[in-house]
């Protein structure tokens, strides 16, 4: 079953738990947590404390997306009872294998993400070890950007590699997803779909979430 992970980057931080509760009522599967450090990406979002403010306030697992340099220094901070995945960027990890093993040693699932200009080949020797691959369909740093179509090619290729090599990682896409393109994205072989502004910057978060869920479940 394909899953929806609304990104709280586009939520109203003054009423974060309320916005998240609406997405949960609409049937969302994960809370996507976008952490930006102003170094790896040209924007600062929030850290573990903000994420932890949601602990116990939602049943949804956290899908943590670290857009930060030196993630190894901060991994422990993001482990909570809700944390399901911690994903790091291939481009930010010179010792990616070590970082992935570090995440797993904390008892959570490990993901790796690649930027739009990074090739799948950079993941050849790590695919065996990861629980998820997050394909960026925008240049990370900001919500509300336009979907980069070449991400679909990557998703299809990745799904084919997974099939051919009998691997079992999840495939996630992140950036520029909206109600008009979500079905095509889901059909390409994506398992987990992130949507930020298209969920939280709408008048009725619960109803919009329902529409997303309906579309992805019908693929
Ligand atoms: C981009 C973030 C995304 C972002 C998606 O740097 O990783 O998760 O919040 O936002 P939208 O869905 O608005 O493109
Ligand atoms: Zn993200």
């Amino acid at each position: 079953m394909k899953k929806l992970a609304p990104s709280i980057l586009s939520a109203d931080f003054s009423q974060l738990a309320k916005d998240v509760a609406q997405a949960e009522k609409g049937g969302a599967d994960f809370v996507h947590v976008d952490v930006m450090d102003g170094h790896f990406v040209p924007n600062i979002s929030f850290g573990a404390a903000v994420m932890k403010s949601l602990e116990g306030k939602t049943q949804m697992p956290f899908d943590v997306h670290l857009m930060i340099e030196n993630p190894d220094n901060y991994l422990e901070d993001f482990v909570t009872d809700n944390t399901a995945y911690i994903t790091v960027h291939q481009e930010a990890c010179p010792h990616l294998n070590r970082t992935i093993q570090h995440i797993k040693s904390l008892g959570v699932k490990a993901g790796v993400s690649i930027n739009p200009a990074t090739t799948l080949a950079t993941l050849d020797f790590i695919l065996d070890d990861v629980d998820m691959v997050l394909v960026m369909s925008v240049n990370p740093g900001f919500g509300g950007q336009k979907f980069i179509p070449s991400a679909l090619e990557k998703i299809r290729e990745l799904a084919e590699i997974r099939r051919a090599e009998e691997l079992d990682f999840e495939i996630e896409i992140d950036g520029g997803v909206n109600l008009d393109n979500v079905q095509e994205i889901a059909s390409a072989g994506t398992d987990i779909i992130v949507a930020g502004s298209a969920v939280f910057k709408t008048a009725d978060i619960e109803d919009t979430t329902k529409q997303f869920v309906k579309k992805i479940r019908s693929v």
Side-chain angles (χ1 to χ4, degrees):
M1 194 176 72
K2 298 188 185 290
K3 295 185 170 161
L4 183 71
S7 165
I8 54 171
L9 183 67
S10 294
D12 179 345
F13 294 155
S14 73
Q15 47 164 41
L16 189 53
K18 199 173 151 209
D19 277 15
V20 167
Q22 282 181 262
E24 186 164 22
K25 264 176 99 180
D29 300 284
F30 292 97
V31 180
H32 185 78
V33 179
D34 280 314
V35 180
M36 304 176 180
D37 66 352
H39 292 275
F40 179 64
V41 291
N43 192 17
I44 299 174
S45 59
F46 50 77
V50 168
M51 185 193 85
K52 283 179 177 157
S53 75
L54 290 171
E55 210 183 348
K57 298 221 169 69
T58 176
Q59 302 282 322
M60 289 188 287
F62 297 156
D63 170 33
V64 182
H65 179 194
L66 296 180
M67 289 160 275
I68 64 175
E69 286 176 7
N70 304 314
D72 284 85
N73 295 347
Y74 306 97
L75 293 175
E76 278 81 357
D77 295 349
F78 291 94
V79 179
T80 67
D81 287 345
N82 285 66
T83 309
Y85 288 96
I86 296 181
T87 295
V88 292
H89 267 263
Q90 184 274 342
E91 302 87 354
C93 296
H95 308 289
L96 184 57
N97 185 287
R98 179 186 289 148
T99 304
I100 293 295
Q101 302 311 331
H102 185 176
I103 296 171
K104 288 180 164 181
S105 76
L106 300 172
V108 299
K109 292 186 175 171
V112 62
S113 182
I114 50 171
N115 285 336
T118 303
T119 63
L120 286 178
T122 61
L123 302 180
D124 276 357
F125 294 95
I126 200 72
L127 283 182
D128 226 355
D129 298 294
V130 296
D131 299 300
M132 171 151 79
V133 177
L134 198 186
V135 174
M136 288 307 301
S137 40
V138 296
N139 291 294
F142 305 93
Q145 301 182 81
K146 203 170 167 293
F147 185 83
I148 298 174
S150 59
L152 283 179
E153 231 172 277
K154 271 190 196 167
I155 296 281
R156 291 192 190 101
E157 213 174 299
L158 198 52
E160 178 52 28
I161 293 169
R162 178 173 63 181
R163 194 197 57 76
E165 297 183 15
E166 297 180 5
L167 298 170
D168 62 0
F169 54 82
E170 303 279 316
I171 300 175
E172 182 173 46
I173 201 156
D174 185 3
V177 177
N178 56 49
L179 281 168
D180 294 327
N181 62 14
V182 70
Q183 266 168 320
E184 189 186 4
I185 291 164
S187 311
T190 320
D191 306 297
I192 304 174
I193 294 167
V194 178
S197 49
V199 169
F200 286 113
K201 296 270 191 241
T202 53
D204 189 335
I205 295 167
E206 183 184 337
D207 183 63
T208 306
T209 306
K210 278 186 185 152
Q211 292 183 51
F212 265 105
V213 170
K214 196 169 162 205
K215 287 201 176 202
I216 64 174
R217 301 275 203 264
S218 71
V219 170

